[in-house]
Amino acid sequence: MVKIAPSVLSADFGALAEEVAKVEAEADLFHVDVMDGHFVPNITIGPLVVQAIHRRTRVPLDVHLMIQNPERYISAFAQAGARYLTVHAEVCPHLHRTIQQVRETGAKPGVALNPSTSLHTVEHVLDQVDLILLMSVNPGFGGQSFIPFVLKKIEELARRLQRMDPRPELEVDGGIKIENCRAVAQAGATILVAGSAIFGAPDPRAAVVKMREQVA
Ligand code: DX5
Ligand code: ZN
């Protein structure tokens, strides 16, 4: 079954606990976008807010670090309650070491790739991670359009992962809507992240239910 991870980036930050409560019965994970104003142009959430969300929900947190030098903050985000802790390959010259560092905290390590970053970057660490995140927009903002060439990349990665046991999750993030979620799932995604399609909808819970029907 494909999992759905609402991204709180598109929630009302002034009422975060209520926003989380609206969809929590339907969410498999909450996706939390951490941005530093360096790796990406935007600045968002730190460990304190991750901890605040963690205290308000039992749903596991899927923390997406879009930051330079992620190794400096791994233990803080793990302690804040991250179940999955994902770093970007583009900012990790010692990716294998960084993955081990996440593993040592007890969180599940993930690696993210920007749309233009080759799958070869993660070839040698596929069996070290619990999740690979393929960005389907250039990271930094919610509400962007899905970049079509990423569908082929999802298919290619899904083919490689098929032979693995245990098999890491293949998460796709950016521009996923009710209209295209089925195609993304059919390409091989196992976790769909959606921000504006869920928190921008008049009824966020109903939006998750609709998305689930599409990918069932
Ligand atoms: C973008 C973030 C995404 C964002 C997705 O940089 O990584 O998680 O919340 O938002 P939508 O679903 O609106 O594209
Ligand atoms: Zn994200």
Side-chain angles (χ1 to χ4, degrees):
M1 199 192 70
V2 175
K3 299 183 184 78
I4 297 177
S7 172
V8 298
L9 184 62
S10 292
D12 174 357
F13 275 31
L16 210 40
E18 288 90 332
E19 293 277 84
V20 162
K22 277 183 199 165
V23 294
E24 99 170 304
E26 294 296 334
D28 297 296
L29 298 161
F30 277 114
H31 184 82
V32 185
D33 287 308
V34 176
M35 305 186 188
D36 66 351
H38 294 278
F39 176 57
V40 291
N42 203 357
I43 301 179
T44 56
I45 286 172
L48 275 178
V49 177
V50 172
Q51 188 182 48
I53 300 170
H54 182 55
R55 286 191 178 141
R56 294 299 191 109
T57 181
R58 285 199 181 147
V59 174
L61 303 186
D62 166 37
V63 176
H64 177 193
L65 299 182
M66 284 159 275
I67 62 175
Q68 287 179 356
N69 305 118
E71 57 287 341
R72 292 186 193 164
Y73 299 96
I74 282 168
S75 89
F77 282 104
Q79 278 173 27
R83 171 76 58 89
Y84 286 97
L85 198 42
T86 297
V87 298
H88 265 264
E90 296 85 358
V91 292
C92 292
H94 311 291
L95 182 59
H96 174 259
R97 180 190 289 155
T98 308
I99 290 166
Q100 302 314 313
Q101 196 189 337
V102 174
R103 180 78 69 198
E104 280 161 19
T105 66
K108 292 172 181 281
V111 179
L113 299 180
N114 284 339
S116 65
T117 303
S118 169
L119 290 176
H120 293 302
T121 320
V122 289
E123 197 174 320
H124 299 287
V125 293
L126 287 180
D127 61 353
Q128 313 273 317
V129 294
D130 290 318
L131 176 150
I132 297 142
L133 193 173
L134 295 186
M135 290 304 303
S136 40
V137 298
N138 291 294
F141 303 95
Q144 304 181 77
S145 299
F146 188 94
I147 299 173
F149 75 71
V150 176
L151 271 183
K152 281 226 170 70
K153 196 176 176 189
I154 300 167
E155 286 170 4
E156 193 183 328
L157 178 59
R159 267 198 302 276
R160 288 202 212 174
L161 299 184
Q162 222 162 30
R163 296 188 291 265
M164 292 179 59
D165 183 23
R167 193 186 301 174
E169 300 279 4
L170 198 175
E171 179 172 56
V172 181
D173 181 11
I176 297 182
K177 312 278 174 205
I178 310 283
E179 298 73 37
N180 64 5
C181 64
R182 190 195 299 247
V184 179
Q186 278 174 350
T190 63
I191 303 177
L192 303 178
V193 175
S196 50
I198 292 173
F199 288 106
D203 182 345
R205 184 170 189 271
V208 184
V209 172
K210 261 193 226 158
M211 201 169 268
R212 206 177 282 295
E213 283 165 4
Q214 289 294 314
V215 299

